């Protein structure tokens, strides 16, 4: 496992309306905050290059896909597991 090239052509630096709206909803906010903690721990771990997230519903998968670019992580959907995984890139940062 190694670092990847970033797949997203546009690097987001500010939260978009989708993320801002999520933070206003208690249940989604809790999921988003837990996800952020998990992503930050993954990024700090220099021995890991891929993080497989647990099975989640389509809305939660969308949250992962929308949040990952802020950390400059590549994000992928695994249809067999109905899960998402993220991979570090050369540009990944907190």
């Amino acid at each position: 496992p190694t670092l990847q090239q970033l797949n997203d052509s546009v690097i987001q630096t500010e939260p978009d309306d989708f993320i801002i709206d999520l933070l206003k909803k208690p249940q989604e906010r809790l999921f988003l905050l837990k996800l952020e903690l998990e992503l930050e721990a993954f990024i700090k771990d220099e021995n890991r290059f891929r993080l497989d997230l647990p099975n989640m519903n389509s809305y939660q998968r969308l949250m992962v896909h929308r949040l990952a670019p802020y950390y400059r992580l590549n994000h992928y959907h695994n249809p067999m597991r109905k899960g998402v995984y993220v991979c570090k890139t050369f540009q990944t940062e907190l």
Side-chain angles (χ1 to χ4, degrees):
T2 60
L3 295 175
Q4 300 181 359
Q5 292 296 325
L6 185 63
N7 289 341
D8 291 312
S9 59
V10 176
I11 297 176
Q12 300 172 342
T13 58
E14 296 295 323
D16 61 19
D17 290 339
F18 179 78
I19 299 293
I20 292 169
D21 288 342
L22 287 177
L23 292 172
K24 296 176 184 174
K25 301 173 184 174
Q27 187 170 355
E28 282 81 359
R29 180 182 177 166
L30 182 60
F31 175 83
L32 192 62
L33 294 175
K34 287 180 181 179
L35 177 60
E36 282 187 302
L37 289 175
E38 194 166 0
L39 292 177
E40 288 175 7
F42 165 63
I43 291 168
K44 290 177 184 177
D45 186 342
E46 296 177 2
N47 297 315
R48 295 174 66 200
F49 297 95
R50 173 178 166 154
L51 174 65
D52 289 287
L53 296 163
N55 293 353
M56 52 187 69
N57 64 43
S58 61
Y59 191 62
Q60 292 170 329
R61 290 192 302 268
L62 177 61
M63 289 185 219
V64 174
H65 289 297
R66 296 298 285 267
L67 187 61
Y70 293 104
Y71 294 102
R72 293 167 177 82
L73 294 166
N74 284 338
H75 44 102
Y76 305 95
H77 175 240
N78 181 341
M80 298 297 290
R81 291 184 47 242
K82 291 192 178 180
V84 175
Y85 63 96
V86 294
C87 296
K88 289 181 184 174
T89 69
F90 292 104
Q91 294 86 11
T92 297
E93 64 182 17
L94 290 176

